[in-house]
Amino acid sequence: MRRTAGINYYTFPREALSGLWNGQGIGYGFNASPNNKKVRKLWRPNAQRTSYHSVLLNKTFHNISVTVKCKKAIDFAGGFDNYILYTPIWKMNSILAITLREVMEKKLELDPSAVRPEQITAPVFDIGLVKARKGAGRNKLARAEAWHALRTLIVRERDEAQVTARS
């Protein structure tokens, strides 16, 4: 009988604290080998270097280490500013994110006429739709387009609800 693999604990390297990893870390544990011996295993998150623009601060942050999970969370939050301001600190687990949040909150307190992140309708970027168009089958493309249409509808309804709440 084969044992299943499992992650015993996580560590957070410096790169995770100076980037946006959305609470992910390097997982350590054991993998199951064919002869039931423990084999040490290391699971690293898929971190990539990207740039993000903050509309609130009017500044572009270049070469930030961001995981794919964090990119999806930024997309789901409605943009970079919304992710930084409204995601719980314990979930971000990053010194960079905490510093950016403090700067953004000070900017909102000092300048009440500043553009608020809720007023920005960020374009919905669907990674699945782009991948599906690059050469996947028809079913995958149809699912991705349906998901994209549903996500766009949800964003529109949210924006309309915010407009009616303001007036």
Side-chain angles (χ1 to χ4, degrees):
M1 181 176 203
R2 255 182 108 162
R3 285 188 313 233
T4 57
I7 297 176
N8 292 344
Y9 62 93
Y10 287 97
T11 60
F12 299 99
R14 281 189 221 142
E15 190 179 12
L17 299 176
S18 63
L20 298 173
W21 281 26
N22 201 34
Q24 285 187 310
I26 297 175
Y28 295 93
F30 296 97
N31 215 357
S33 68
N35 56 2
N36 283 337
K37 288 188 177 179
K38 280 185 174 180
V39 178
R40 289 181 187 232
K41 176 75 173 138
L42 181 72
W43 287 271
R44 291 184 179 273
N46 186 3
Q48 302 167 353
R49 295 269 177 195
T50 54
S51 299
Y52 279 104
H53 180 74
S54 171
V55 177
L56 183 62
L57 300 175
N58 196 18
K59 185 176 179 183
T60 303
F61 298 96
H62 297 285
N63 209 15
I64 300 175
S65 174
V66 181
T67 61
V68 173
K69 182 180 176 183
C70 186
K71 285 183 177 184
K72 290 178 182 177
I74 290 171
D75 182 40
F76 184 75
F80 182 68
D81 291 340
N82 287 338
Y83 173 77
I84 295 294
L85 285 172
Y86 301 123
T87 304
I89 292 174
W90 62 267
K91 194 170 187 181
M92 290 189 287
N93 193 24
S94 168
I95 296 171
L96 173 70
I98 293 169
T99 308
L100 283 174
R101 176 180 275 187
E102 290 172 357
V103 171
M104 287 180 182
E105 286 175 349
K106 280 184 184 177
K107 169 96 178 196
L108 288 172
E109 285 176 9
L110 295 176
D111 189 10
S113 64
V115 177
R116 302 217 175 254
E118 305 94 37
Q119 298 170 347
I120 305 162
T121 54
V124 178
F125 179 73
D126 183 12
I127 297 170
L129 186 62
V130 173
K131 283 184 180 176
R133 283 191 181 148
K134 283 188 177 176
R138 288 184 184 175
N139 292 337
K140 210 172 197 182
L141 180 62
R143 280 195 309 253
E145 286 177 345
W147 186 89
H148 183 67
L150 179 66
R151 177 81 173 114
T152 307
L153 182 68
I154 291 170
V155 169
R156 278 194 200 132
E157 287 177 358
R158 183 191 69 193
D159 293 344
E160 289 172 3
Q162 288 176 355
V163 169
T164 55
R166 284 188 203 131
S167 53

